[in-house]
Each structure stands twice: as structure tokens, then as C-alpha cells.
Amino acid sequence: NALGAPPKDSHHATSRLLALENTQNRAGGKVVTPEYMARARALCDKHGLALHVDGARLWNAAAALGVPPRALLVGVDSASVCL
């Protein structure tokens, strides 16, 4: 089934959102780069999906990359952060 396409089986939901976590907790704290985020945005645009970032550790990712936190949220539709 294509992303964003109606499911063939009514028991499966239609994808409408891609949610990413930065840093990736289950990947050992891996940082998601601005370049990766741009590719994710392009994927979402292609398939009509919204893009959400769980930024509970966004400041950690920004510090690791030496960029301001806003650089990691370019093109996202929504984000959550922890202060």
C-alpha cells in the first residue's frame, strides 16, 4: 500500500503523519541531521504526509551538530520539546 493511499483493508489506518525523534533514543542517541530532515520533508510532500518531530532531546542534537535548534525543525509541521 502506498503512503497516504487508502488502505485495501478497513482494519489498517491510512498514513497521514511521519513522526521522527531527535535524538533517536532507541538508536543510542543518534542525531538526525538537517539533511536527513530535508529528505524526510520531501518524502512527506511526495506522499501528502505531515511531519512531526519529537524533540525531547532537541537541544542535545543541536549541541552535537553545532547548530541552533531551529535548524533541526526546518520544514516540520509540528514539534514537541522538553525544557
Side-chain angles (χ1 to χ4, degrees), residues 30 41 57 71:
K30 182 176 179 170
R41 175 76 265 165
R57 289 166 299 281

Side-chain angles (χ1 to χ4, degrees), residues 52-59 69 73 79-83:
H52 173 79
V53 171
D54 174 346
R57 289 166 299 281
L58 184 71
W59 278 263
L73 297 175
S80 62
V81 298
C82 295
L83 302 175

Side-chain angles (χ1 to χ4, degrees), residues 7-65:
K8 294 178 182 175
D9 182 332
S10 63
H11 294 93
H12 298 111
T14 301
S15 298
R16 295 286 181 224
L17 174 74
L18 173 62
L20 298 176
E21 184 180 24
N22 201 4
T23 60
Q24 294 275 328
N25 187 33
R26 294 207 182 240
K30 182 176 179 170
V31 176
V32 178
T33 65
E35 295 78 19
Y36 186 93
M37 293 301 299
R39 291 194 311 270
R41 175 76 265 165
L43 177 78
C44 289
D45 290 344
K46 179 179 177 182
H47 295 286
L49 304 174
L51 177 58
H52 173 79
V53 171
D54 174 346
R57 289 166 299 281
L58 184 71
W59 278 263
N60 298 23
L65 293 173

